[in-house]
Amino acid sequence: MAEDKYERLPRAGDSEHQLGFETLYLAPKPLPTGQAPFSAQQMHREVNDCYLDFAMGGGSREFASRVTIGTLMLFMLLYVFSTGLMAWGRWEHWNEPFWETWLYDFYSNWIWWLIFLFFTLMSVSIVAYAAYKEPRTPPIRFNRQRREVCYVPAKGKPLFIPWEEVIACVAVEQVITQYSATQQFSLRLGFHDTTNEQMHWVTHAHASLMLAVSEWEALRVYMEQGPTALPPAPQRKHEEGTLEYFYFARDTYKECHGFISYGGWWLLQLFTGWTLPCHIGEWFERLPKAGFPKAVREWSKTLPTEQWAKPSEELLSQSAAIEAAFATGLSFPEYFKSPLVAFQSPSDAASVKTKGKGKRARSRAAAETRASDPQEPRNARDASAGRPDH
């Protein structure tokens, strides 16, 4: 989308509405959101007093692997059912032997097997390509001493963006399928390359809008207050995508639900690969990580305290104003009169999420509840021009 469509770049508090799509901008300037800082997917790869590296977490890879395996298994189950139904019809009407007919139909349809093999190879190729890109894609580095953010595009030189000029927004997208209407939530970061007037966008999907805002708030408080403002790292059993998390969710589901519900959860996990997606996610974590160019390494060196960059007076005054509004009970969207209701209360979020019948529904509700308490453990759409294409 061409940037000249807009009179100016977005800023915190701006809202956009299109059919089935709502967006609320959180930066620039990066104002307080009123949410507790929290990283549900553990995307903070490295944190110290100088910089924070932000990259995709293991939970996203585990979920993607589980969906892929589940989709392939669904295709296979539909094929088994359809061939069995045809064999039953031939047995019922023409008295052909059921089992022999079923096995013959199942194994002899070479067109089906070629199609299934194609989709299987395509899925494996996607995983292989992701593994190829993992050691070659540096994370986004947030340097709090310089108050700058480094984004390394796939092509071109690293971009060093002033922290107060980074664009951030959360989005809700209504997705209509033949079965139902669902919502997708995301946090989007935009980096404006002033040398060629291009925009680079990075998108991270989240379980809810509140978690997307909390992820951004974690980046914001790190830049403004330092690593001590972040919640402590979680136990492995609270880190989405790990084996420990899987077994913790299994035990929790077994204790909190009846036999029928737990049996449904057990079958769902078996159908989507059981612990194999967790092993795939952890395998990605063990891959060598991409290094940074020399210019970025020099930029990442610690500065003397007297050389640290300071926040602008505009940011300080706007932050004080919105903090005062929070004290009166206003929320971020209410303060800016945004039509997007971005922040749910933890109890509301939990009551909605626990209506689901899978481990992920329970885990998301628990994560959102933990996000509301800063004392609890915390657990791409690339290179498009202008604002995110909706």
Side-chain angles (χ1 to χ4, degrees):
M1 186 177 296
E3 187 179 276
D4 57 9
K5 175 181 176 179
Y6 302 93
E7 296 180 357
R8 60 169 176 80
L9 291 176
R11 59 190 176 203
D14 286 354
S15 297
E16 289 183 1
H17 172 74
Q18 297 184 15
L19 183 62
F21 206 98
E22 297 277 357
T23 303
L24 176 62
Y25 285 88
L26 308 176
K29 303 288 188 177
L31 300 179
T33 63
Q35 286 297 112
F38 181 72
S39 181
Q41 300 180 19
Q42 288 303 287
M43 293 191 286
H44 303 165
R45 181 172 293 175
E46 183 176 350
V47 182
N48 55 47
D49 194 52
C50 183
Y51 58 81
L52 179 151
D53 287 346
F54 183 75
M56 182 178 292
S60 299
R61 303 186 189 96
E62 183 266 347
F63 179 66
S65 301
R66 193 170 295 280
V67 170
T68 301
I69 294 173
T71 302
L72 294 174
M73 290 294 292
L74 178 61
F75 285 152
M76 180 59 71
L77 185 63
L78 290 175
Y79 179 63
V80 170
F81 177 78
S82 61
T83 53
L85 186 63
M86 289 187 293
W88 177 83
R90 292 161 68 176
W91 169 75
E92 181 74 17
H93 296 285
W94 293 288
N95 202 30
E96 296 184 9
F98 174 77
W99 290 108
E100 292 182 12
T101 303
W102 191 358
L103 290 175
Y104 177 80
D105 290 344
F106 182 79
Y107 287 110
S108 64
N109 191 341
W110 60 271
I111 296 179
W112 150 256
W113 287 108
L114 284 178
I115 294 174
F116 184 77
L117 179 63
F118 170 77
F119 281 106
T120 301
L121 291 176
M122 185 174 65
S123 301
V124 173
S125 299
I126 292 174
V127 174
Y129 179 73
Y132 169 80
K133 293 288 291 183
E134 182 75 14
R136 294 166 174 80
T137 306
I140 302 170
R141 176 161 289 184
F142 291 77
N143 189 321
R144 64 179 304 266
Q145 295 183 1
R146 296 179 182 271
R147 294 183 65 82
E148 292 179 344
V149 179
C150 177
Y151 172 73
V152 182
K155 296 181 179 179
K157 297 180 179 179
L159 304 179
F160 300 98
I161 312 297
W163 161 240
E164 296 186 20
E165 296 179 11
V166 171
I167 301 173
C169 62
V170 288
V172 182
E173 183 176 5
Q174 193 81 5
V175 180
I176 308 297
T177 68
Q178 58 181 322
Y179 303 107
S180 63
T182 60
Q183 289 183 322
Q184 294 181 353
F185 310 96
S186 60
L187 168 65
R188 297 176 176 181
L189 304 179
F191 307 97
H192 183 205
D193 185 355
T194 56
T195 60
N196 54 19
E197 294 302 322
Q198 286 188 349
M199 284 295 303
H200 300 271
W201 289 96
V202 177
T203 301
H204 290 282
H206 286 271
S208 76
L209 200 59
M210 191 177 76
L211 288 177
V213 176
S214 293
E215 188 75 60
W216 166 254
E217 183 65 13
L219 297 174
R220 193 197 69 81
V221 298
Y222 169 78
M223 292 294 286
E224 300 297 341
Q225 303 173 32
T228 57
L230 295 173
Q235 303 176 36
R236 288 279 291 177
K237 68 178 183 179
H238 291 153
E239 185 175 342
E240 192 172 338
T242 63
L243 280 171
E244 292 84 353
Y245 180 87
F246 178 88
Y247 290 122
F248 172 74
R250 180 197 62 181
D251 295 340
T252 303
Y253 209 91
K254 184 177 181 179
E255 294 172 2
C256 299
H257 292 264
F259 176 78
I260 295 178
S261 296
Y262 174 66
W265 178 91
W266 194 91
L267 288 175
L268 178 62
Q269 307 312 310
L270 183 65
F271 187 77
T272 56
W274 197 244
T275 60
L276 178 59
C278 301
H279 288 289
I280 294 175
E282 294 189 348
W283 175 69
F284 270 97
E285 288 297 310
R286 292 192 295 269
L287 289 175
K289 307 305 179 185
F292 286 97
K294 182 179 179 180
V296 180
R297 296 196 301 270
E298 291 292 328
W299 172 84
S300 302
K301 291 182 178 179
T302 302
L303 296 175
T305 306
E306 61 273 12
Q307 295 182 18
W308 288 16
K310 306 296 181 184
S312 67
E313 291 298 328
E314 181 183 4
L315 177 62
L316 292 175
S317 61
Q318 292 182 7
S319 298
I322 197 170
E323 291 281 9
F326 292 158
T328 66
L330 290 178
S331 67
F332 189 94
E334 290 171 340
Y335 178 78
F336 288 105
K337 298 180 174 60
S338 169
L340 181 62
V341 181
F343 308 104
Q344 308 171 72
S345 68
S347 59
D348 291 341
S351 66
V352 172
K353 293 297 178 182
T354 51
K355 292 180 182 177
K357 296 186 180 293
K359 130 186 135 157
R360 196 161 296 273
R362 285 186 49 78
S363 67
R364 288 173 179 172
E368 291 174 355
T369 303
R370 290 195 301 272
S372 67
D373 185 355
Q375 299 303 319
E376 288 293 313
R378 61 167 175 157
N379 226 308
R381 227 176 281 184
D382 286 354
S384 62
R387 299 188 182 186
D389 293 334
H390 301 334

